[in-house]
Each structure stands twice: as C-alpha cells, then as structure tokens.
Amino acid sequence: MSRRFSVRSAARPFVARALRGPRGRRLLALSVLLTAMSGVLGGWLALGTGEVERELRAAFSLEENTFRQEQSRFVLIADSADEAAALHSELQRRAAGLVPGYDETAYRVQNMLDTAELRLRQAAVGEPPRELRGLQVEAVRTLETWTKSHVPSGSYRTGDYFAWYDADEVRALRSAVAREMTPAVEIYASPLGPLDALRMAGVFAGGALILLLLLAAPVLAGTQMAQETHENTLQPLAGSAMRAPELAIGLTAGPLAVVGVLAAPQLLLLLAAAAAVGHVGPALALVAVTMAGGAFLILLAQLAGLALGKVRSPGLVAGGLAGILSILGGIGVALAAEMSQRTAGTLALLPQAAASHSLAQAFGLGGEGPAFGAEIDTTMPVIVGALGMLTLAYLGLRALARRVGNTDLVTLRGGEALVGAIAAMVLVTTANPPLDEWRSEEFYLLNLGMLSIPLAILLMMRAPTGDVPPALRRTPVGPLVGEFMAWAALYLALAATMLPHGAMHVFGHPIAFLYALWFLVVTALLSLRVAVAPMTFASRLWTMVCMVMLAIAFGETAAWSRSAENLYSSNPSVFALTELSPLLGFVQAALTIAVPWTLLRALRRPASVAPVTVE
C-alpha cells in the first residue's frame, strides 16, 4: 500500500465520523452563512454612515476622523438633513449680522470660525517657505476682510507662529482662504465605494480564516484528544490495524475536516478580494502563515489534551486552550497594529501577529503610515516563522504518533529534540535580534530566558514515561540534563557569533556564570520532575517555589552581568534578598541549595514521591 493511499485510508474514517449525517449538512450551511456574513459586514463597514463604522474606518486609516475632515476641508459635517439645515441657518444668521444662537449648533460654528481665524492670524506673521509666500498674502487679505465685519475672537497670542511645515495645517489654511472664512455644510457620506466594500469583505474573510485556523482548530483538536483520553477510547484505536503515524494523522484529520468546511469559502473570498482590489502576495503569505501556525498549534493542543485529559475534564481543557490562544491572538494583533523596526521580528514567533500583519498588507489597512508596519520589510521574519512552525509541527506529529500508539518510552528522540531546539533558537533570535542601541544582555540573556520554555518542553518530551508505573521509572537524569545544557551552550555559541568579542558579560564574572548555570540546571531538573514524577498538592506548591527561585536567579544573572560590564559600578549582593532583609537573604541562600537537591532526590527516588495505592 502506497504512503499516500495509507494516509488517505487513515484519515477517511475520522473525517467521515466528523462530517457524518446531518452534522455535515449543518456545517456546510454554517459555512455559507459565515461567508455571507463576511460580505455583509464588509459592505456595512465600507458604506455605513453610523458612528461605529466611521470610528472603525478611522482606526484602520480608511478615512480621516470627522474633526480632521472638518478642519482640513473647512466644512461642517452633519449627520442628518435636519442638522445640516440648522447649521445653514446659523451661518446665515451670522452673515446677516444677527446675534448668534446659544445652542450646540452655534457652538460648533463659533469653534470652527475661531480656529480658522487663529490660523489666519498665525499665518500673517513670520516667514513662510518661499513656495508658500503667496498663500500668506492671501491669508492676510482674507483676515483683513474678515475683521472688518466680525469681532476678533481674542484667541491669538503674541509669539504664536503658524506651522508652515505641517502639511495638515497648510491644507486647513488653504481651505479657509479658499472659502473666504465661510465654511461649507455637508451631510456625511462614506468616502468608500463598492470596490472598497469588496475589500472590507476580504478583510473579514481573512479575519475569519485567522480565527478558524489559529483559534478554533487548535481548541477543537485539543478538546477532542482530551475527550478521547478522558473516556479511554484511544486504547481500542491503538489496537487496530492502523500504524501509529496513521492513527495520529487520522485523529488530526477529524477536527481539521470540520474547520476546513468552514474555512474553505472564506479562503476563496479572501483570495478573490485580494486579486480584485488588494495584493495577492500578502494574501498568499497570510494563507501560508495561518496554515503553518495552525498546524503547529493543532499538534501542540493535541499533545496538551493527551496529557491533561487523564486528569482534567475536556471542558476545562477547552477553556484553558481557548483562553491562552485568545491572549496570544490579542497580543499578536496589538504587535501587528503597532509594528516598528524593533518589534518586526516577533512576526516569526507569533503566527497571530504575522497573520494580522499579512492581512493588513493584503488590503492596505493602516494607509501609508507606520500602522501595521506598512513601511517595514517583514518578508524574512514571516518566512522564517512559517518554516519554523512547520518544523515544529512535524516534530509534534511524530511525538503524537508515539504517545497515541505507545510505541516508545520517549516522546522525542535525541536528534528530533535537537532539531526542535535549533528551530526554537532561530525563531527566538529572529524575534529579538541584536541591535546596536541595545545592551547585549537584552539580546542573549532575554533570549535565553525565552528559550528556556521551549527547551524545557523538549526535555520533558525526552524523558521516558510510557506505561511504566512512576515508582518503577528510572530516569537518566545526568544524560538528560547534559542534553539540555548542550542545547543552551549551542545557543550561547550562536549568540556569541552575533555579538562583538567580549560582549557576553555573563562569562566575565564568576557569580554571574554560576547563577546562569544554576538557572539552567534547575530548569532542566524541574522539567524532568514535572514530566516523570507524580504531582501531589505539596509538590505543586514546591514547583511554584522553584519557579520563583528561577525568576530570582535569572534576575541575579542579569544584575551580575551588567556589573561585569561596568567596572565602576558597585557589585550587587550575592543574594539579592539580603538588601531587603537578612532573614530573606538567608531564606534565599537556603533555597538555592534545597531546590536542586529536592528535585534531584525526587528524580532519583520516584517511589518516595509516588502516592500509595490501597487495593
């Protein structure tokens, strides 16, 4: 049997179960409904005249806000015909020399006239650029004509000068001069047209695709795996004729089929809108990023569901996954919206940020300004992120096959874990590259802290678990800790090649080096402890204490490294908490010894921490 046919045969029963009977028809109807909603919402956002639509368009730089429009074009924008009539009446009353009203309409007119008069008075003095001297002459003439029939507002102060190099101010001055201090009145209408409605439909379709692949798909896949584990239905599947890789692919194909039915029409709408009124390249980048990031998150969620489903209900697993992914999605959108040269590398680390950025580039959200990184080249972070996520997704699929099929005591083998560690190093280094204006510690130490999380997860997947009772497990602590330290040393060697010679000050002071060594060793021991030994209430509390000590040790490493960098600065205390209280310093010193000892003891003697089973 060919590999292609084998994979198809493995996925078919799970896809059929996910789409069988009326469930498939309901999903198809829901898919059509969601796509129609994307089109309707796109038309509403592009053509609507309500306050919400206007604020959203202004937020996406699709139009200027009402105040800026009024100032730049010297118009009064009304929301209705009645409001426009009231503004016309107020302007006519002032033109006839009658006493102005005292309502909100009169206040708007007066404020507009006072602001324009202030611009004229400021423009009348000072030296403008040569090309704007004619505009200054016209401004002086308009001001003289205006003051003959109007009382000065009194808002001008001596010393105020006009901002001749501000394009918005110059445009507002031109409008006031052209209209001779008589503002026009307009009823508000959206500046966007039908093509823009199609563009906004593409934006909503892209947003739906991001939510489906980077949020819904991982939550659904992780929840299903937790349910299979919780209800103990994986054992019959593992005993079937399917091989472990085929079983892993089948379990992944089921939730993907559900999401695929919902996402396919959105994908077509996205690409059609990008081809018609957007940019196809960024749209294809969006598809690639969401698929690569979604594949990684799906496999990660399945592994989490497989591990947590034994001790937690599927509902709790689903809630936890949804909460974590929602937070990451919010962070990603925020980073994409406020993109800068410094934060552009984070697109490699957060697929949510890369997808949001690609969506903005595909349809020109943010205009020509700095919003959404419109002026920043982000090609390399996006490519690196997609390739890194695909690499980690492949490793996750192999790990899932071993866990589901129970074919090996370890989830990842040594070479696979090394590939995962290198992929994590590349992603983190791309997210936070060394910059000349930043201290070296904020490159290699910060990256080391971020890397400690994926490296710890990889080490947990290297620990032997399987179906061996915890009390009988024998963990090769030394080789595994050595493997973790080799990964860390490899990263530091790579980081050293990106910095000037002698810039890694963690090696310049023995205390900084010892704290860094303690941090790495305890991180490895704690990861193994969580992976292989049973967790009681007391052990969970002790884990929290260990994590607090890790944070303190990392801070000590940074402090002593900076002390080694600046030879004239005073050295911090060996135990930082001593500066708060001698008692706290003693506690820190005691825990510095107790934490690794207790972790090593729990790994060397698992029977001492295993709960006693009474038959």
Side-chain angles (χ1 to χ4, degrees), residues 29-47 56 60 194-212 261-273 277 286 359 363:
L30 180 60
S31 175
V32 174
L33 177 62
L34 290 177
T35 308
M37 286 183 59
S38 295
V40 171
L41 289 174
W44 166 78
L45 180 58
L47 306 177
L56 287 174
F60 290 134
L195 290 180
D196 295 298
L198 178 59
R199 182 158 62 111
M200 291 300 100
V203 171
F204 279 103
L209 194 66
I210 293 173
L211 289 176
L212 287 171
V261 171
L262 299 175
Q266 303 283 0
L267 175 61
L268 294 177
L269 178 57
L270 166 69
L271 295 178
V277 293
L286 165 64
L359 178 61
F363 295 102

Side-chain angles (χ1 to χ4, degrees), residues 506-507 509-521 553 557 592:
V506 69
F507 300 110
H509 199 288
I511 297 181
F513 178 76
L514 289 175
Y515 264 115
L517 188 65
W518 189 95
F519 171 81
L520 293 172
V521 170
T557 303
T592 301

Side-chain angles (χ1 to χ4, degrees), residues 64 67-75 112-113 115-120 122-123 132 135 139 142 162-164 166-183:
E64 292 183 324
F67 175 77
R68 290 176 63 89
Q69 289 187 55
E70 289 183 333
Q71 294 297 316
S72 63
R73 297 192 291 116
F74 199 57
V75 298
M112 172 69 75
L113 295 176
T115 304
E117 181 187 348
L118 177 60
R119 284 195 178 93
L120 293 174
Q122 290 176 339
L132 296 177
L135 178 60
T142 303
F162 185 75
W164 289 103
D166 188 330
D168 292 336
E169 286 293 314
V170 171
R171 185 171 55 168
L173 179 63
R174 286 187 187 276
S175 299
V177 171
R179 297 187 185 276
E180 296 183 346
M181 288 295 288
T182 302

Side-chain angles (χ1 to χ4, degrees), residues 10-11 33 139 243 292 304 311 326 420 445 489 501 588 609:
L33 177 62
R243 295 178 298 174
V311 294
S326 297
L445 278 185
H501 178 69
Q588 181 185 354
V609 297

Side-chain angles (χ1 to χ4, degrees), residues 270-588:
L270 166 69
L271 295 178
V277 293
H279 306 281
V280 178
L284 293 176
L286 165 64
V287 175
V289 165
T290 51
M291 287 186 173
F296 166 68
L297 292 175
I298 286 170
L299 270 301
L300 186 63
Q302 285 182 303
L303 290 170
L306 187 63
L308 298 175
K310 301 176 182 179
V311 294
R312 295 289 183 269
S313 67
L316 288 177
V317 174
L321 289 174
I324 294 173
L325 292 175
S326 297
I327 293 173
L328 290 177
I331 294 174
V333 172
L335 286 173
E338 299 295 333
M339 186 65 59
S340 65
Q341 194 67 45
R342 173 62 181 165
T343 61
T346 56
L347 299 182
L349 200 59
L350 278 176
Q352 295 88 348
S356 301
H357 171 77
S358 299
L359 178 61
Q361 298 303 299
F363 295 102
L365 300 182
E368 300 297 330
F372 291 99
E375 300 175 351
I376 301 173
D377 184 11
T378 56
T379 304
M380 186 56 64
V382 171
I383 294 176
V384 170
L387 294 177
M389 294 299 164
L390 284 176
T391 302
L392 296 177
Y394 174 73
L395 296 177
L397 183 61
R398 295 183 66 88
L400 182 65
R402 293 194 181 100
R403 287 298 89 207
V404 171
N406 199 21
T407 59
D408 204 331
L409 291 178
V410 296
T411 306
L412 285 179
R413 293 173 183 169
E416 295 169 343
L418 178 60
V419 171
I422 293 175
M425 294 174 197
V426 172
L427 291 175
V428 170
T429 304
T430 305
N432 182 37
L435 298 178
D436 295 338
E437 64 267 21
W438 289 75
R439 299 177 182 177
S440 61
E441 287 82 4
E442 294 177 4
F443 162 62
Y444 72 92
L445 278 185
L446 181 59
N447 287 357
L448 182 63
M450 291 192 292
L451 266 176
S452 63
I453 298 175
L455 294 185
I457 294 174
L458 290 171
L459 186 65
M460 294 170 69
M461 301 173 88
R462 289 283 297 130
T465 53
D467 292 334
V468 179
L472 301 179
R473 291 175 187 165
R474 292 297 178 266
T475 305
V477 178
L480 289 178
V481 173
E483 196 171 339
F484 183 88
M485 299 299 291
W487 298 339
L490 176 61
Y491 162 70
L492 291 175
L494 292 175
T497 62
M498 305 176 68
L499 291 172
H501 178 69
M504 297 185 69
H505 303 287
V506 69
F507 300 110
H509 199 288
I511 297 181
F513 178 76
L514 289 175
Y515 264 115
L517 188 65
W518 189 95
F519 171 81
L520 293 172
V521 170
V522 171
T523 299
L525 292 175
L526 182 60
S527 304
L528 294 174
R529 167 69 181 85
V530 173
V532 304
M535 298 292 289
T536 62
F537 179 75
S539 62
R540 290 188 180 94
L541 290 179
W542 187 246
T543 299
M544 295 181 186
V545 174
C546 295
M547 293 177 68
V548 172
M549 288 299 298
L550 284 173
I552 293 175
F554 188 79
E556 292 270 22
T557 303
W560 282 97
S561 297
R562 290 184 177 179
S563 175
E565 176 187 6
N566 188 356
L567 299 177
Y568 299 100
S569 64
S570 58
N571 291 329
S573 301
V574 176
F575 299 104
L577 297 184
T578 305
E579 299 179 3
L580 300 177
S581 167
L583 178 60
L584 291 177
F586 174 77
V587 171
Q588 181 185 354

Side-chain angles (χ1 to χ4, degrees), residues 13 82 90 258 271 363 425 493 524 591:
D82 292 339
E90 181 64 27
V258 174
L271 295 178
F363 295 102
M425 294 174 197
L591 289 176

